[in-house]
């Protein structure tokens, strides 16, 4: 399998993982930048992530237009991905989703979402909240054009995650595995913080130094990162689709 | 398959989806108005929604009486559907259910259930709470005759959803797909609002303009609406029963 | 199958339902009084409810002693059942379990568990809390002899459910189906009340008149009661074991 | 099968149980001390607990070094186990995990985690909270060397469980079955306490006498303990791997 074929297959796996882990349902999507052409990215046609196969992946440019002749319906909110890839050359993978336990933090203004657990460190110390109404007034709350997408990407800034008021979140990372990991642990961090608040008293957040120490030690194919990817893929019944980029052996597959 | 056969099959799918998505358990039901005779509607005989097949669907009139000779037991609360169809000619599908996370809003008077997330917009800005005791005193809390049903329908008014105190909710929409979607996202909106309240501070609800913008853009067979219907049906192991009203291809089925 | 064989099989089904509905885990048990000998009752030997088959059911007397030569281990807390059957001749079936969402009401003294939803009406207006320490001081918190069991049964009194502080609950009803139904909806009523409390403001409980109206209309083999039993049994993969006491047809079985 | 083979197989079962019961996900691990050499212990190579088989188990010494020539990646945090085995000769099995509902008690300082339910008694009356930052400043929050592990073990002291701030917990017990049981019921006790706090009013904890009474009556192969182990193993699809140390019959297996 070519490197590009492997990446597309990993994108299929990532879709199924996000569905299995309740990050997406019928809605929400994940994309990956074209490794050889930074002005293109891959994402599914309009289809629920759990049902996606290789043939459903389409190639779009950084304005959200399909490359070549594409007759199938596309995600209305594909612009979110295009906008973030435009403003953030360091980003290679983007998730937009509505994971339930992230929603309260975009609705209630009193509590900021910040890392309180080690697996939540990758969301970063600052999680801005973008409100589409601030600049665009009364809309259907969806990001359906590049102007809205670029405004969201500007609010995201250098951060890894932006909450979207009354809607969900966008997360951005250097690799597919990293953005999946961040998107799976984001709701867990949100729950830990909500419940800690209910217990009362002061909250102990991760320090900036702890967040930095974790980030600097991160590598997308370390045994620790691979362990989670392999686990999630097996839970989502995609173990047989796994490929190690280093050609190493994969659990449950014949050598 | 005739248009009517397809509708009945969609009603079977809708029952199984509501069961899989925890909107109904042994109790709760969904109906659809007869497309050629607005004075009749279809609903299952008395059976748990997860177990329903085509042969279980019966045809009732707008007083809740079965058409023809029907010996099987019927839902005690079929009158809810009859009452809403009587007073609301624009409504073609009704759900009555006890989805757990809607219940607190019918019990506690301090917090009104209103849309806080985009997928909850379809519940509308006003969700009235109907208390059967107000007019009918001490009952078994069930809606078991037309007088009670019409009183509930009057409280529902022009809205899409009425909460029923200590019991559940009734939702009404233009189509089967729309009422399923509303009934699935209603508890999610309820949870988002409950948790936002716990975080403290002011709550940012959807504005009336946002609700209107979403409603005006809604179409029951848009790619976005179909995407959810197709996803939920596959999750409920009904993917093979799907039919597109426009004759289009369905995911996972041979052409 | 004889009437007694059917009852034993229903007891097996009830065990599996309580496991599937998260009322019991490895611990917790359900019993039924011998229909022809009110001084005996049936219960499983010491085994997790999900794993129970017909051969695991044993017959005990109202002191918790096995009838005949029984070498297998018995539940340490079988006395709970014996004690309630001794003091309550109207009771034919008993559940003891630790369903998680009932626990807070035995630990926190500020909020009484009372019916707030129609499916919770059968728990009755008064749910006493029994604290083993009050009379027996520091124990292992288990009910391991008749003196403790009779004290619990005395606290239960004429009610349907007693909470056991730091431990769980005991429920008692006229029939197997009724006690299962009560035990499944008890935690749901507890959750609805907990969440309503969090929303704030006054709580609207079911009135005594509503509770009475529901009780007086209850019949263990009405279509509504059967609907739930049939549904739960199918969910617990026991649909093929169902028998209607009136010889009627059962969903999913050949006639 | 030799006694050692049986222990290794039990360790595999324990891994799968902890995964099924949501105590671990891709991360978290369980170990058991070598029964014939107290200076060695067994633990999996770096792999998600749900996927572990016999061949994945490795033998380490009490500094966390592998015995013999081991090329596969090891858990970064294996030192937690080594440190506890060093300081606690009475301990034969250790779990480290991030079970979600234990996390708030390590983050919020206002509420101490203590036993409120009988199945939580084994966590003991004192659950210290260890904060890695106190001695080691800004780290990646993981326990990656013996100095950190020994500091954690010192905080654990004579107790059964130590919470780890912003990270998870470590639990220590006399046997594999005991540490699994404690780790499964720890989050349940945490939830019961959190919800009781939300109900308001004073909380009734287990008394020291009750905790002592339960501990003194505990035996790892009593029918009650075996019942849970057998149930969890079957739920985790490991029923066929069970062995009774006394050679007794196992549910669902041929004699």
């Amino acid at each position: 399998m070519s490197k590009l074929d492997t990446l597309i297959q990993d994108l299929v796996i990532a879709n199924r993982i996000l569905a299995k882990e309740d990050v997406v349902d019928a809605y929400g999507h994940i994309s990956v930048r074209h490794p050889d052409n930074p002005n293109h990215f891959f994402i599914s046609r309009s289809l629920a992530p759990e049902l996606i196969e290789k043939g459903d992946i389409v190639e779009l440019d950084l304005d959200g237009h399909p490359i070549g002749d594409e007759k199938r319906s596309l995600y209305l909110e594909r612009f979110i991905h295009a906008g973030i890839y435009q403003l953030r050359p360091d980003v290679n993978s983007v998730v937009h989703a509505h994971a339930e336990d992230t929603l309260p933090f975009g609705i209630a203004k009193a509590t900021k979402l910040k890392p309180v657990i080690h697996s939540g460190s990758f969301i970063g110390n600052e999680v801005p909240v973008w409100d589409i109404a601030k600049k665009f007034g009364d809309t259907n709350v969806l990001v359906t054009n590049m102007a809205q997408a670029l405004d969201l990407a500007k609010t995201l800034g250098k951060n890894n995650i932006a909450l979207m008021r009354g809607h969900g979140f966008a997360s951005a990372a250097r690799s597919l595995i990293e953005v999946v990991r961040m998107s799976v642990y984001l709701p867990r961090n949100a729950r830990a913080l909500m419940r800690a608040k209910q217990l009362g008293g002061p909250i102990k957040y991760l320090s900036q130094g702890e967040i930095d120490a974790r980030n600097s030690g991160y590598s997308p194919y370390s045994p620790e990162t691979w362990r989670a990817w392999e686990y999630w893929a097996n839970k989502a019944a995609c173990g047989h689709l796994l490929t190690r980029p280093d050609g190493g052996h994969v659990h449950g597959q014949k050598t």
Side-chain angles (χ1 to χ4, degrees), chain A residues 22-74:
Chain A
D22 276 332
V23 177
V24 298
D25 56 358
Y27 303 106
H29 14 82
I30 178 168
S31 67
V32 66
R33 199 191 287 264
H34 195 308
D36 305 321
N37 179 353
N39 293 317
H40 286 185
F41 68 95
F42 296 104
I43 193 169
S44 171
R45 67 171 179 100
S46 177
L47 186 64
E50 188 171 279
L51 304 177
I52 287 167
E53 297 170 26
K54 272 187 159 193
D56 299 309
I57 304 298
V58 296
E59 188 174 344
L60 307 184
D61 67 21
L62 297 197
D63 290 315
H65 297 133
I67 307 307
D69 189 33
E70 180 55 62
K71 296 220 176 68
R72 296 173 294 178
S73 298
L74 302 178

Side-chain angles (χ1 to χ4, degrees), chain A residues 39 75 86 123 144 165 179 186 216 221 229 247 251:
Chain A
N39 293 317
Y75 290 133
Q86 268 196 34
I123 69 177
T144 54
R165 187 269 307 166
V179 85
L186 172 69
S216 72
Y221 296 107
W229 179 251
H251 172 89

